[in-house]
Amino acid sequence: DAGITQSPRHKVTETGTPVTLRCHQTENHRYMYWYRQDPGHGLRLIHYSYGVKDTDKGEVSDGYSVSRSKTEDFLLTLESATSSQTSVYFCAISESSQPRGTEQYFGPGTRLTVT
Amino acid sequence: RKEVEQDPGPFNVPEGATVAFNCTYSNSASQSFFWYRQDCRKEPKLLMSVYSSGNEDGRFTAQLNRASQYISLLIRDSKLSDSATYLCVVRKDSGGYQKVTFGTGTKLQVIP
């Protein structure tokens, strides 16, 4: 299995509080991604990173920010959590973004509940 | 119309049966295709890529039909351990990065 860890694995927080989720990889892969997974929806991309300090928005980026100060760490921050952000969050990594590049490998997920 | 559509199932099949899933995609410019497997409350894991000529990996066969814009996954001699949700994934170039779209998944339950 790819060396990807996420922390925390579970979190319950209150509406309006800031929350930071961490993704850590030991594979030295260039690309890192944050997804959320909700019933009735496929995995949806929040933000991704194509290198240290290089990030861009995905399809559901509103209310989220990210930072990547080291190759191995990709942080997802909910500035002010809302109940609609209750979800399972997956981090993924890939070596390349090219069509024939290596595929995405996922971390174990973080279950976030916003009350 | 969703970019990637799958029958959510569940497909309940007996051990040893053959089962097939289809997945349709709407964007004809899609370039790469994959099947992922996701066990309950676990992360998705790559099962196999799907190549234009079709490809096989043990009991699993994947096919791509670009004309009709669908991919398929065939599982032969189903095992209890095949019970999972199978996610169809489509990728296309989108202004400098590969846009990856996941289907919502097809649930398979293999019954003893």
Side-chain angles (χ1 to χ4, degrees), chain A residues 1 35 37 40-43 45 48 90 97-101 103-104 106-108 111, chain B residues 2 32 34 36 38 41-46 49 51 87 91 97-98 100 102-104:
Chain A
D1 290 346
Y35 290 91
Q37 187 174 36
H41 295 274
L43 284 149
L45 183 66
Y48 69 100
F90 287 102
S97 72
Q98 296 306 307
R100 293 297 181 183
E103 314 322 328
Q104 293 186 3
F106 287 81
R111 293 187 173 273
Chain B
K2 287 185 177 180
S32 306
F34 311 91
Y36 278 72
Q38 186 172 25
R41 301 178 74 86
K42 298 287 189 182
E43 72 272 23
K45 291 188 177 181
L46 178 66
S49 302
Y51 302 126
L87 307 178
R91 209 158 74 168
Y97 91 103
Q98 290 288 307
V100 178
F102 287 77
T104 53

Side-chain angles (χ1 to χ4, degrees), chain A residues 38-50:
Chain A
D38 305 287
H41 295 274
L43 284 149
R44 292 181 291 175
L45 183 66
I46 305 171
H47 282 278
Y48 69 100
S49 169
Y50 46 97

